[in-house]
Amino acid sequence: MPEAHIVCFSGAMGRCCKLVIGLDERIGVVDPNIFGHFIEHLGRCIYPGIWVGRSTDIPNEDGLRMDVIQAFRLIDAPIIRWPGGCFADTYHWIDGIGPVERRPRRINIWWGGEETNEFGTDEFVKLCRLVGAEPYICVNVGSGSPEEALAWLEYCNRTGDSSYAKLRVENGHSEPYNVKYWGIGNESWGCGGSFDPVYYAWEYRRFATFLKQADPTIKLIACGHTSTDWNLRFMESLRNFIHLIDYLSIHYYFFRNLQRYGGDIDFTDEQYLNLLFDIQHLEYEIKQAISIVDFFSEGRKDIGIAVDEWGVWHPQATVENGLYQQNTLRDAILAASVLNLFIKYSRKVRMANIAQAVNVLQSICLTRDRETILTPTYYVFQLYRPHMGSIALRAEVESPVVREPTREDLISLQRVRRKLEPLKAIDASASIDPDGANLVITLVNRSLDEDFDIDITLVRGYDVREGEFASITSKNVRSYNDFDMPNNVRIVEEPVDIKGNRFSLNIQKHSINRLILKLSS
Ligand code: AHR
């Protein structure tokens, strides 16, 4: 049925959408860590995306490249996960400390080439300190041992005269690092050791028992899966050890599907919509993970969900090219919609790490020799920054649909038993800061051909005194930033005149938008 043309508050006669924000309907605190990052010894991510060494004319601090650090700082990057990924379960941390000339070269069995170990624990923590981010270390379960993980924790977090704590001091770091977040293996169902969920649960219990005993202040992330069966069987085996889990992780890639999604910069309108339509599968996985952890832990422990790898993995990113791909406005629109999803589930989604920060997959920065450019996805993180630490509010959207489910969706994705939802043009999230002074609204218009007037109603309590508006868009949804055109896609700020508790806002086709509204009661 064609949608009716309704008159917006503004009097405009175009198709308009409605957004209702319940100022007293609080759904959770937006954990800053949902805007987290991930770096791995893979392709050109760490060398030279993060680490350029000290003997170079690329501006660096102790070998860490300053332009990338500055980019991280400007988005307040809250947490960085390292050293992998698949790499984590073959990594022996002891190889990466001490005098660089004595560090062994190892084979990177996952991503090829040799690992020089120039970038190790001390360099990683230094990176995090320069950025202002929390370090998140993923320990080696697959080819490692609880003893090795305990020694790593001791190296990072202990004071005193125990041998690994002293080793850190001898390496020039007198203060403990106090690393709070520790992952117990990576994708243990796959590259992390091909475990089954019950065997992994046994390993998890060993690692977690000792690590938590050695330092009860740390938070542990268990390796979950986008398979109900894995999560159920793992959690069932941990039923009596719930106190050992702080987060259950899932990974979600919109994974190399040339036919359905097209390529990184070369895709049809239909493929653009297919990619965005499939965000609902990530929502399904989040809901499944939440209901499983709630079922096994309710009333005993509040376990969070960490989507500690996510992003678009285009067919152009191969092991041979170090998983390098370009990143268009389409990817940014996807990232914004995914962040809206994390905000919607902020009651339980407490961490997320886009894969990967530099030169790999859905990067926020791309480097070439001395130069660094920021991708459209980077600007989404900059735009969404004011949501960090705020209180997520119910945001109800009424919007035209841009893509209906089809039979092919069910067949091609082999998800025959799932109910699929139409893709709405407009997607939104809202949060208010704890003292109720500022309301942040982020709105994505996923339509390829229509601008919309959005009628926004704030329910109860407050009026808007003044507002700021910023958006990311471009004439073409296939636009991207490259070394010869670094500012093709970026944030543009525009004046808005907004007052009261009902107002209209016009947003452009294929755009990501943010309103910051100052409130008075
Ligand atoms: O991010 C690339 C790889 O994807 C990671 O190493 C692995 O965890 C995932 O499968």
Side-chain angles (χ1 to χ4, degrees), residues 254-263 271 278 313-315 412-413:
F254 297 83
F255 188 65
R256 309 183 66 157
N257 191 334
L258 188 60
Q259 202 187 344
R260 191 168 173 83
Y261 304 145
Q271 288 165 333
D278 284 356
W313 187 322
H314 290 299
S412 76
L413 295 170

Side-chain angles (χ1 to χ4, degrees), residues 38 40 42 85-86 111 186-187 251 253 309 313 323 355-356 361:
F38 167 43
E40 179 171 9
L42 191 179
C86 295
W111 308 114
N186 170 75
E187 298 191 355
H251 290 177
Y253 288 102
E309 286 185 34
W313 187 322
L323 303 190
Q356 298 190 8
L361 299 176

Side-chain angles (χ1 to χ4, degrees), residues 152-173:
W152 202 355
L153 177 65
E154 180 186 324
Y155 183 86
C156 290
N157 288 6
R158 289 286 298 195
T159 52
D161 287 330
S162 65
S163 59
Y164 291 111
K166 267 173 68 185
L167 193 54
R168 186 196 65 243
V169 177
E170 282 160 28
N171 288 338
H173 311 282

Side-chain angles (χ1 to χ4, degrees), residues 94-107:
I94 204 88
D95 292 347
I97 56 159
V100 133
E101 59 288 358
R102 281 200 234 137
R103 297 187 191 179
R105 282 178 95 86
R106 302 285 187 204
I107 297 162

Side-chain angles (χ1 to χ4, degrees), residues 257-262 266-278 330 402-404 406 408-409 423 448 477-478:
N257 191 334
L258 188 60
Q259 202 187 344
R260 191 168 173 83
Y261 304 145
D266 185 12
F267 49 88
T268 63
D269 290 357
E270 194 187 342
Q271 288 165 333
Y272 161 90
L273 291 172
N274 290 345
L275 181 71
L276 298 174
F277 179 86
D278 284 356
R330 171 177 73 158
V402 284
R403 187 191 181 290
E404 294 284 356
T406 63
E408 286 69 48
D409 293 328
L423 177 72
L448 280 172
V477 79
R478 292 162 188 86

Side-chain angles (χ1 to χ4, degrees), residues 187-356:
E187 298 191 355
S188 304
W189 35 267
C191 65
S194 305
F195 297 155
D196 78 10
V198 176
Y199 182 80
Y200 173 67
W202 284 47
E203 289 292 339
Y204 184 89
R205 276 151 43 181
R206 295 172 68 216
F207 277 74
T209 300
F210 302 126
L211 292 174
K212 281 265 190 201
Q213 182 65 23
D215 183 348
T217 67
I218 59 174
K219 302 280 176 209
L220 296 184
I221 297 98
C223 178
H225 197 2
T226 48
S227 123
T228 310
D229 176 63
W230 172 281
N231 291 345
L232 268 176
R233 292 174 62 203
F234 170 72
M235 290 299 297
E236 163 66 27
S237 303
L238 262 291
R239 189 189 269 276
N240 297 324
F241 303 93
I242 286 300
H243 60 283
L244 295 177
I245 316 176
D246 298 297
Y247 296 81
L248 183 74
S249 85
I250 58 173
H251 290 177
Y252 197 92
Y253 288 102
F254 297 83
F255 188 65
R256 309 183 66 157
N257 191 334
L258 188 60
Q259 202 187 344
R260 191 168 173 83
Y261 304 145
D264 55 354
I265 55 174
D266 185 12
F267 49 88
T268 63
D269 290 357
E270 194 187 342
Q271 288 165 333
Y272 161 90
L273 291 172
N274 290 345
L275 181 71
L276 298 174
F277 179 86
D278 284 356
I279 293 173
Q280 62 188 295
H281 298 304
L282 170 57
E283 180 164 14
Y284 174 88
E285 299 299 349
I286 290 172
K287 287 201 307 211
Q288 289 285 98
I290 292 176
S291 59
I292 292 170
V293 296
D294 277 353
F295 178 78
F296 286 103
S297 62
E298 208 136 49
R300 295 192 290 151
K301 174 115 192 216
D302 186 9
I303 297 175
I305 302 299
V307 188
D308 59 6
E309 286 185 34
W310 69 271
V312 185
W313 187 322
H314 290 299
Q316 280 69 21
T318 59
V319 174
E320 291 68 40
N321 76 357
L323 303 190
Y324 183 84
Q325 64 187 28
Q326 251 302 351
N327 181 317
T328 62
L329 177 59
R330 171 177 73 158
D331 299 299
I333 289 173
L334 177 123
S337 308
V338 168
L339 292 175
N340 283 347
L341 193 62
F342 296 156
I343 293 171
K344 178 172 167 191
Y345 290 94
S346 52
R347 180 182 76 80
K348 287 303 261 189
V349 177
R350 311 231 172 92
M351 191 200 295
N353 308 72
I354 191 167
Q356 298 190 8

